Amino acid sequence: MSNARATHLTRRGILAAGGALGLGAVLAACGDDDAKSGGSGEESSAAKKSGPWTFKDDRDKSVELDKIPANIVAFTGVAAALYDYGISVKGVFGPTKTTDGKADVQAGDMDISKVTILGNVWDQFNVEKYAALAPDVLISTMFDDAGTLWYVPEASKDKISALAPSVGISVYDRQLTAPLERMWELAESLGADMTASTVTEAKKKFEAAATRLRAAAKAKPEIKVMAGSASQDIFYVSGTNLSIDLEYFKALGVNFVEPPEKAKAEGGGWYESLSWENVDKYAADIIMMDDRSSTIQPADITEATWKKLPAVKAGQIISRSPEPILSYDKCTPLLDTLAEALENAKKVS
């Protein structure tokens, strides 16, 4: 959401977009909040290797170290992607643990008991614990073109940047395949075995899923898909521009609901905000709903206007991951889920 006005955006609304520009200026910084630790992380497989390490990130900044970093700290979703490639991190920040103590959806297959959780919610990042990890590098995604590292608090970013160099992977205004390739390159640079059968097979399955989705979209061009996200007072309808998953799905032929640019202005170009009374503004046959823990899930939506939507009554609701874990293994189900929904969908709008 670029150029969003703070007075018109709620904290949940910002998270609903899947990204934001200048978030520190939009949200009040909470400082270096304490966060519960899940324990010390396992040593990265890259630590067993030696030699200098260089990586040029999506800010065109190159990090150069004497050896491949062993003490890696990363945004939770990035850590989950690296885990799929065999790279472990020491610490994480971002949604990692749910209120019942289970792994957040963005933690993927990571054992969260083996990493130090520096912050679990927005603006929470324990700088003292970060320093104690003796970090070699910090890695996060970026949801803008200004180089803002996702979930690194504005109030403490200078302290954090002084402790270790950082790497940013852009997930802004590009198709999903681009950041997937960048995460592959990053994992490989960190010592991952990209020739392992699990890795190569995962990429083949992703490509097959893309072919399936393209075919499903071509066969059902009349099916309209809406990307939504729910909060207590607002229903957010995302446009396809800016979001890596929706841009890619659209390129494969999926027919999406597209709020006009003027309607998305308040959401910085990412989404239109609707009251629950107006949730039926757009006709849709399939609704993709934000699966992040910061949002209300479909089963918990009690609004009568929601229950009257044709797609809801037809049971044509699927999950969406606005912040996909950037490994081929984790992104393949996103394509397959949408493809299956299209294959089975009935025109109800």
Side-chain angles (χ1 to χ4, degrees):
M1 298 172 295
S2 57
N3 305 316
R5 290 175 292 171
T7 55
H8 292 153
L9 289 177
T10 64
R11 175 173 175 271
R12 188 179 296 278
I14 286 170
L15 292 175
L21 172 61
L23 287 170
V26 179
L27 296 174
C30 297
D32 307 330
D33 295 335
D34 286 337
K36 293 183 178 180
S37 169
S40 59
E42 294 180 348
E43 186 176 27
S44 166
S45 60
K48 299 176 182 179
K49 299 179 180 292
S50 59
W53 182 76
T54 300
F55 188 82
K56 188 175 184 179
D57 74 359
D58 291 335
R59 300 169 297 181
D60 286 330
K61 292 185 178 181
S62 293
V63 176
E64 299 180 4
L65 300 175
D66 293 336
K67 60 180 181 179
I68 296 176
N71 295 345
I72 302 170
V73 172
F75 172 68
T76 302
V78 170
L82 292 176
Y83 180 88
D84 285 349
Y85 291 128
I87 303 296
S88 299
V89 305
K90 291 283 188 177
V92 296
F93 55 94
T96 307
K97 183 184 296 185
T98 60
T99 54
D100 59 3
K102 296 180 181 179
D104 188 273
V105 63
Q106 294 192 63
D109 293 332
M110 279 195 304
D111 183 346
I112 62 173
S113 70
K114 294 184 178 180
V115 293
T116 298
I117 302 175
L118 303 173
N120 197 58
V121 298
W122 184 256
D123 258 338
Q124 186 183 75
F125 193 113
N126 192 303
V127 179
E128 288 72 24
K129 286 184 178 180
Y130 178 57
L133 291 175
D136 293 321
V137 67
L138 178 147
I139 309 172
S140 190
T141 48
M142 301 181 298
F143 280 91
D144 60 37
D145 55 6
T148 306
L149 296 174
W150 190 230
Y151 267 81
V152 173
E154 180 72 15
S156 53
K157 67 178 183 180
D158 291 340
K159 295 179 183 178
I160 293 168
S161 65
L163 293 169
S166 62
V167 166
I169 300 297
S170 179
V171 288
Y172 175 74
D173 195 19
R174 61 202 62 205
Q175 293 182 24
L176 177 61
T177 46
L180 272 173
E181 290 168 2
R182 291 294 282 147
M183 192 62 69
W184 176 290
E185 293 167 1
L186 176 61
E188 186 172 35
S189 76
L190 292 169
D193 180 6
M194 310 312 282
T195 64
S197 59
T198 53
V199 174
T200 57
E201 285 302 313
K203 190 172 183 179
K204 289 179 181 178
K205 288 180 180 179
F206 176 87
E207 293 166 348
T211 299
R212 178 187 181 187
L213 180 54
R214 187 187 297 276
K218 185 176 181 180
K220 296 280 187 74
E222 75 282 4
I223 298 297
K224 201 78 171 178
V225 180
M226 181 167 68
S229 184
S231 70
Q232 182 175 351
D233 301 314
I234 302 292
F235 183 82
Y236 305 91
V237 179
S238 294
T240 57
N241 60 316
L242 305 184
S243 297
I244 57 173
D245 61 328
L246 302 185
E247 284 198 10
Y248 184 52
F249 299 157
K250 182 180 180 180
L252 292 175
V254 179
N255 183 12
F256 279 100
V257 167
E258 294 282 6
E261 291 302 315
K262 185 177 181 180
K264 294 187 297 180
E266 190 173 323
W270 291 86
Y271 60 82
E272 178 180 2
S273 303
L274 299 176
S275 66
W276 283 104
E277 289 76 13
N278 295 316
V279 73
D280 60 353
K281 179 177 180 178
Y282 297 107
D285 303 296
I286 296 172
I287 302 177
M288 303 175 67
M289 289 296 291
D290 190 337
D291 68 355
R292 291 172 296 179
S293 56
S294 59
T295 68
I296 299 176
Q297 297 306 300
D300 299 318
I301 299 176
T302 58
E303 300 290 341
T305 49
W306 163 262
K307 294 181 179 180
K308 291 179 181 179
L309 293 177
V312 175
K313 293 171 69 174
Q316 294 180 170
I317 308 296
I318 62 173
S319 64
R320 176 201 170 204
S321 299
E323 296 181 57
I325 294 172
L326 297 171
S327 71
Y328 289 103
D329 179 70
K330 293 301 181 292
C331 286
T332 296
L334 309 183
L335 277 68
D336 278 332
T337 296
L338 181 52
E340 182 178 9
L342 284 170
E343 290 163 356
N344 299 326
K346 296 180 180 180
K347 184 68 179 176
V348 295
S349 64

